[in-house]
Structure formats: C-alpha cells, structure tokens
Amino acid sequence: MAMRPKSEMSPPPSDQRDAVIEELRKGAQLADCLRQQLELIPELGRRSAALANVSNISTALVSSASMLESNREQYSCSSSDPGVAAYAAGASGSGGGTGARNGAIARTRKAKHRRGTHGEELPIREVLTETPENDGFHWRKYGEKKILNAVFPRSYYRCGYSDEHRCPAKKLVQQQNNSDPPVFMVTMINDHTCSSLFPADDQPHSSSNSATANSQVLDFTKASPSSAAGVWRLKKEEDAGMSVTVPSYTHDELASYSSLPLLSPKEWEMEMEMKSLFSHHSGGGT
DNA sequence: CGAATTTGACCCTA
DNA sequence: TAGGGTCAAATTCG
C-alpha cells in the first residue's frame, strides 16, 4: 500500500489478471482440500507442522488474489488521493467502528513518520492475520501503546536478534476487532537481515516439538496473552490435545474484516521457501 | 536466575 | 501540544 507510488506500478491487463486471480483461488481451494487430508495424520507433531505449512500456502494464495483484486479496484477508481485509500482502510480498521476519519489521519501521519533517520523510505508491509506471531521469526516485545481511536492497544516488537545480528526488522501488531478469532493488523517494518542466521536448533524456544524441520514456520515465540490471541489459542488447542490448525480464510471472509489489501509478502516468501524445501526433500521432516 | 514482558516516562514529529 | 514510538526499570515466567 505505502510501498510504491501507483504510477510506478504497471498492472497486467485486466483479463490476464482475472486469470491469475482465478488460478490463485484454485490453488487456495486445493490447499484447503490438502488441509482436510492432513487432518487425518495421526501424529500430532507432524500434523501440526503440515497444517501450518498448508495454511501458510493457502493464506499466501488468498492474499495474492486479494492483492491483485485490490489493485484492480485501485486502477478502476479514478481517485488518486492517498488519503481516500487511507480512509477506506481506517473505516473498517478500528474495531468499534468509531473515528474512521481520525484513524485515516493517524495512518497518513504515521506513514510519513516511518522513515529512516536520514528520511529514507522504510520498507513497510501490512498483513492481516489471526496469528500475528506465526511468521517464523523470533520477536521481542519492546512496547505497547494505546492508540487514539483504536479499541485495542498496539504492540511493538523488534527482531529477537536485533542486538546480536543488528537486524532492523520491526513489527507492529494491532488487534482489529473482537471477533472469534480476533484479526490483527501486522505492520512489518524493515526486512530481516538475520533470517538465514538462525537455524531451527538455534531458536531460543523449541516449541517446535517434533516438527523441527519446519520450525521456522512454527516458531510460536512467546507473547503476551493480551496482544497475541493467536498464540494463546494455539496453546489452548495444544493443551487440549487438539490439532494446531492455523486458520486460513477465503477472500470474502477477509474482506469482511477489512477493506485493506491483504498483503502478505512474507508469507509469499515463506511459500517460496517451502516450495524449494519440498522440491529438495519432498516430505521435509524425518 | 536469566530471559522475556509489562508499563510508565520520555522523546520526536507534525 | 497531541499522539506515536522507544526506552528502561520493574515484574513475571520458565
């Protein structure tokens, strides 16, 4: 959204884009079928890992489709005012539905604020997710702030390896609504420079149980119950001996949560990683 | 006991 | 001056 000026984007022809969207949808449906099959795996650890992977694939596909759709809407819309888009985002963004206009203002101001010390643009990605922690990285919370016109506080995380590896990656997590499960807006700031520096067995919390081969995906690092509902839900399900199913959603489901484009490039990257993983040793683990 | 989280204060920007 | 972002001491947790 705030990644590049629209003028720099060169959208594919609409019919071609529709075809791509259709293919992505099919992929998401197939992933869903695969997930149902994976539910039958008896071993909890394996099943959890596989389900998480499939869910990531599904989410990536859905997000990509919605991203394309969102672009189509942008190009078909004559408005070039970024504030209009920000307003649309804020209108459904703040859970109580209050203060949409002010929310838009805050967002605009924030976007300006998020620059490097020398005024350079920071790489920012916004992702809607039910599992804000489930992105495969180790995060350390360094702050929480009640945001004006937002029902829920915003949590501030930085890469857990920011000190050791000088990783500049940061993440802002804000709960969007009070639905079950709640949806979080995750804003990623800066890319990880440490991602290749910590193998699975280097993770401080080996919560990856038996699924060590995929533990980068399953690195549910600790987080406060108040700010990471996804985590407590996962833990709850584990405690109850249930399968850990990271939820995936259809575009319509996600669209009902927010009108924001559902960007998840990180998950896209993860999917690419997984594809290469599967191609190297199909089956991954054992 | 070390690591992670919480939380109020402080700083910076618009 | 208001509001968002960060720091750091205190607290909690494993």
Side-chain angles (χ1 to χ4, degrees):
Chain A
M1 187 143 163
M3 304 177 75
R4 228 195 299 183
K6 277 180 229 165
S7 58
E8 289 181 28
M9 298 185 188
S10 52
S14 61
D15 55 341
Q16 191 180 339
R17 188 163 42 226
D18 286 342
V20 173
I21 291 171
E22 184 58 33
E23 288 303 310
L24 288 169
R25 288 268 166 72
K26 282 183 193 169
Q29 286 173 6
L30 286 170
D32 205 48
C33 291
L34 180 57
R35 190 181 53 184
Q36 288 171 15
Q37 293 172 335
L38 291 174
E39 302 264 8
L40 302 174
I41 296 176
E43 305 102 299
L44 176 64
R46 276 186 155 190
R47 187 176 60 208
S48 302
L51 286 169
N53 287 340
V54 167
S55 181
N56 277 323
I57 293 172
S58 176
T59 305
L61 291 169
V62 169
S63 299
S64 302
S66 59
M67 191 161 57
L68 282 172
E69 283 213 325
S70 148
N71 283 350
R72 177 175 53 194
E73 283 159 17
Q74 277 182 15
Y75 290 114
S76 63
C77 176
S78 59
S79 170
S80 59
D81 180 8
V84 174
Y87 176 83
S92 64
S94 44
T98 58
R101 204 174 296 265
N102 289 340
I105 293 168
R107 180 174 289 271
T108 304
R109 187 186 292 172
K110 206 187 312 157
K112 283 183 184 175
H113 190 64
R114 281 180 196 159
R115 288 174 178 269
T117 49
H118 304 295
E120 72 275 14
E121 291 277 354
L122 292 176
I124 296 173
R125 303 163 176 175
E126 290 181 323
V127 181
L128 272 176
T129 178
E130 294 172 358
T131 56
E133 304 305 308
N134 185 19
D135 63 2
F137 290 101
H138 173 220
W139 298 98
R140 168 180 284 187
K141 188 175 183 179
Y142 66 90
E144 187 174 290
K145 189 88 175 177
K146 180 83 180 79
I147 299 302
L148 188 73
N149 290 325
V151 179
F152 304 98
R154 176 178 297 164
S155 299
Y156 299 87
Y157 298 85
R158 65 162 57 99
C159 176
Y161 300 86
S162 59
D163 295 331
E164 299 161 52
H165 302 309
R166 299 196 174 273
C167 178
K170 290 181 192 172
K171 164 161 107 169
L172 281 59
V173 177
Q174 180 141 28
Q175 189 172 337
Q176 296 289 294
N177 58 30
N178 215 359
S179 61
D180 184 30
V183 176
F184 298 84
M185 169 63 75
V186 178
T187 305
M188 308 288 301
I189 304 172
N190 289 323
D191 293 322
H192 282 273
T193 59
C194 64
S195 57
S196 61
L197 296 177
F198 51 101
D201 58 0
D202 190 30
Q203 308 259 340
H205 306 288
S206 51
S207 60
S208 50
N209 49 60
S210 62
T212 49
N214 296 312
S215 59
Q216 190 185 7
V217 177
L218 288 170
D219 179 30
F220 305 127
T221 54
K222 283 182 298 187
S224 65
S226 62
S227 61
V231 171
W232 62 251
R233 188 164 45 78
L234 288 166
K235 284 191 172 175
K236 219 167 56 180
E237 289 175 356
E238 273 180 343
D239 290 346
M242 298 166 65
S243 63
V244 181
T245 54
V246 180
S248 63
Y249 5 70
T250 66
H251 173 261
D252 288 341
E253 283 171 329
L254 283 169
S256 69
Y257 289 132
S258 168
S259 56
L260 263 183
L262 302 165
L263 305 174
S264 59
K266 170 56 67 184
E267 285 164 327
W268 181 265
E269 288 171 15
M270 287 165 66
E271 191 205 359
M272 292 299 127
E273 269 184 40
M274 273 186 287
K275 274 184 181 169
S276 65
L277 261 176
F278 282 125
S279 65
H280 285 147
H281 39 265
S282 56
T286 62

